[in-house]
């Protein structure tokens, strides 16, 4: 089953330029794939990757696409399978506009920040920001990013799962007798950083995507 997706480049005040991917993927699959394409195919040249993605519509993306006998066009090495069809125009749109047709995901590159922001189509036909991801993952667990589109307050991003402003923070007087103990955690993936005035930071990065239970029922208990 296809996952109609747009991928493109963010512009000023929520505008964007994008191309269509017939068989897109959700962020857990497509974000790692785009990071690998950025590194392996384009040598971390974000402008070159954006230009190549915007050159055509896509059937699907792949790091090492192989020729298939039923394809009408040869695959693009290091990038994927081009789509075939009469409508091969670049899409110009806005995040404020209603979502067109059966689209499910929108991936926008922010070229100057080497960052990928993901939007999900809601049941009401609007784009809802899902997550933000650095193409080159940073070491910090949480980073503060500038506000997108409307110039509002900055946002806090979890660098493990890409959650935006899904952060729980607790601060209490330290048992060391001075300063404060703090705990900041991501409510989506559970990654956290704890600090105290004696031992500094302790970072816990949870696996993402979470591991599925190997056996047993939905609770993960084994039989």
């Amino acid at each position: 089953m296809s996952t109609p997706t747009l991928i493109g480049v963010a512009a000023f005040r929520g505008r964007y330029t994008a191309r269509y991917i017939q068989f897109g993927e959700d962020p857990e699959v497509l974000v790692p794939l785009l990071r690998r394409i950025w590194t392996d195919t384009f040598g971390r040249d974000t402008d070159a990757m954006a230009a190549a993605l915007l050159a055509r519509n896509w059937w699907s993306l792949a790091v090492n696409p192989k020729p298939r006998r039923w394809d009408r066009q040869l695959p693009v090495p290091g990038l994927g399978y081009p789509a075939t069809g009469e409508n091969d125009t670049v899409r110009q749109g806005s995040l404020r506009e209603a979502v067109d047709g059966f689209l499910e995901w929108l991936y926008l590159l922010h070229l100057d920040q080497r960052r990928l922001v993901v939007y999900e189509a809601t049941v009401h036909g609007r784009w809802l920001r899902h997550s933000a991801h650095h193409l080159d993952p940073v070491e910090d667990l949480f980073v503060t990013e500038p506000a997108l589109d409307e110039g509002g307050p900055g946002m806090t991003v979890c660098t493990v799962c890409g959650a935006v402003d899904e952060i729980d923070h607790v601060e209490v007087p330290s048992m060391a007798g001075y300063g404060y103990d703090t705990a900041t955690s991501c409510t989506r993936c559970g990654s956290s950083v704890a600090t105290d005035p004696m031992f500094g930071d302790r970072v816990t990065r949870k696996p993402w995507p979470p591991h599925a239970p190997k056996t047993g029922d939905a609770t993960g208990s084994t039989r």
Side-chain angles (χ1 to χ4, degrees), residues 23 59-60 66-74 81-82 84:
F23 286 87
W59 183 256
S60 64
K66 303 295 185 182
R68 302 175 301 194
R69 63 179 182 274
W70 60 84
D71 287 329
R72 297 182 182 179
Q73 299 185 45
L74 292 175
Y81 298 93
T84 57

Side-chain angles (χ1 to χ4, degrees), residues 8-11 17 38 44-54 108-117 135:
V9 176
T17 302
W38 178 66
R44 302 193 171 199
D45 187 333
T46 313
D47 290 337
M49 183 170 104
L53 287 169
L54 291 176
L108 293 181
L109 289 164
H110 290 250
L111 301 181
D112 57 335
Q113 301 166 9
R114 301 199 305 180
R115 187 178 60 174
L116 181 69
V117 180
L135 290 173

Side-chain angles (χ1 to χ4, degrees), residues 14-16 92-100 124-127:
R15 303 292 302 177
Y16 63 82
Q92 305 283 345
S94 170
L95 296 174
R96 299 179 180 87
E97 296 173 350
V99 177
D100 182 21
H124 303 293
R126 297 292 178 182
W127 288 119

Side-chain angles (χ1 to χ4, degrees), residues 37-208:
I37 290 173
W38 178 66
T39 301
D40 295 357
T41 305
F42 295 99
R44 302 193 171 199
D45 187 333
T46 313
D47 290 337
M49 183 170 104
L53 287 169
L54 291 176
R56 54 180 57 83
N57 290 327
W58 299 93
W59 183 256
S60 64
L61 300 182
V63 175
N64 189 26
K66 303 295 185 182
R68 302 175 301 194
R69 63 179 182 274
W70 60 84
D71 287 329
R72 297 182 182 179
Q73 299 185 45
L74 292 175
V76 179
L79 200 52
Y81 298 93
T84 57
E86 297 180 359
N87 185 10
D88 192 36
T89 58
V90 176
R91 298 191 181 208
Q92 305 283 345
S94 170
L95 296 174
R96 299 179 180 87
E97 296 173 350
V99 177
D100 182 21
F102 298 97
L103 292 169
E104 296 185 29
W105 297 99
L106 169 64
Y107 294 79
L108 293 181
L109 289 164
H110 290 250
L111 301 181
D112 57 335
Q113 301 166 9
R114 301 199 305 180
R115 187 178 60 174
L116 181 69
V117 180
V118 184
Y119 297 85
E120 184 177 8
T122 70
V123 295
H124 303 293
R126 297 292 178 182
W127 288 119
L128 176 67
R129 188 170 63 206
H130 175 275
S131 55
H133 309 263
H134 288 273
L135 290 173
D136 186 5
V138 296
E139 293 298 325
D140 292 335
L141 182 57
F142 302 112
V143 295
T144 301
E145 300 283 7
L148 300 176
D149 313 324
E150 287 81 28
M155 59 185 185
T156 302
V157 180
C158 173
T159 59
V160 173
C161 68
V164 175
D165 289 336
E166 297 183 38
I167 306 299
D168 186 29
H169 180 75
V170 177
E171 182 176 291
V172 297
S174 176
M175 295 183 65
Y178 63 96
Y180 291 88
D181 295 339
T182 71
T184 306
S185 59
C186 174
T187 58
R188 178 185 292 181
C189 70
S191 297
S192 63
V193 55
T195 70
D196 67 69
M198 291 185 64
F199 300 103
D201 296 355
R202 298 181 300 281
V203 176
T204 302
R205 292 178 178 268
K206 297 291 187 179
W208 188 263

